[in-house]
Amino acid sequence: LSLHDALPISSLAVVGMTIYETDTARMLVYAAATATWQPPWNMPWGVVGYSTLTAASSTVSAMTDSGLSVTWTAVANRRYNLRFQGNVAGTVATDLLEAHITDTTLTIKGRSLVVVNSTTTAANHNISTIEVGIAAGSTTRKVRHGRNTGTGTSTMYGGVCLDVPTFFVEDIGPNANPV
């Protein structure tokens, strides 16, 4: 049981009051009656969601959802780091393979391009992008992959290799004052 769950907030909490939850090891600050208890505003809040690919993706040529997505409750005026790392294989040497981090309307937030040097060796996509100005509320980002140029296909490895494709969303701190 957390302290803020056990105490009657209406009679004890005042804006700025700080507690430490022994069951979750979190420090929280009382922000207001509507916002209630939040982590300290001026600090990073850490990983808010992640996704891993447990099996290889479909073999594709055109840009297609990889199966990696993260949905979280965004907080206005926070800064988020979106990171993706994953291995892909192509069927034709010299093809250019692509990966994107997108929103649900397919607007590209981050992008990676790799050349297929050998059809027997994987290439590695790495994307890291910082996103600011996200509206408060439920937010989804996803990873898509496919061929950019060439005639072959692309497959994203998953679950069978050391570098399992992983997509993280991390709160890295404030972008502006709280709303």
Side-chain angles (χ1 to χ4, degrees):
L1 184 65
S2 299
L3 174 63
H4 70 273
D5 292 330
L7 296 176
I9 292 175
S10 59
S11 62
L12 294 177
V14 293
V15 173
M17 182 178 180
T18 302
I19 63 170
Y20 178 78
E21 292 183 329
T22 57
D23 60 336
T24 64
R26 295 186 315 161
M27 186 170 81
L28 300 173
V29 177
Y30 189 73
T34 55
T36 66
W37 297 95
Q38 301 291 329
W41 184 258
N42 61 339
M43 298 179 72
W45 294 351
V47 174
V48 295
Y50 71 95
S51 178
T52 58
L53 197 60
T54 57
S57 72
S58 301
T59 300
V60 299
S61 54
M63 291 300 291
T64 306
D65 286 351
S66 67
L68 293 167
S69 70
V70 174
T71 299
W72 78 101
T73 303
V75 176
N77 292 336
R78 300 294 294 176
R79 190 174 303 165
Y80 295 94
N81 183 20
L82 287 64
R83 294 181 293 137
F84 164 69
Q85 182 277 321
N87 288 327
V88 292
T91 56
V92 176
T94 73
D95 274 4
L96 188 60
L97 307 181
E98 189 166 6
H100 300 163
I101 296 174
T102 71
D103 62 16
T104 55
T105 66
L106 305 185
T107 299
I108 298 171
K109 304 296 182 176
R111 179 180 181 195
S112 170
L113 295 167
V114 295
V115 174
V116 177
N117 290 320
S118 164
T119 58
T120 60
T121 305
N124 193 297
H125 283 296
N126 283 292
I127 304 172
S128 183
T129 185
I130 295 173
E131 196 170 347
V132 297
I134 298 175
S138 183
T139 304
T140 299
R141 297 295 181 260
K142 57 186 171 178
V143 175
R144 296 172 53 81
H145 78 104
R147 184 187 70 228
N148 177 286
T149 60
T151 58
T153 59
S154 170
T155 303
M156 187 175 298
Y157 292 127
V160 295
C161 58
L162 294 176
D163 297 320
V164 174
T166 307
F167 178 39
F168 282 94
V169 178
E170 178 181 22
D171 177 302
I172 59 173
N175 190 53
N177 291 329
V179 257

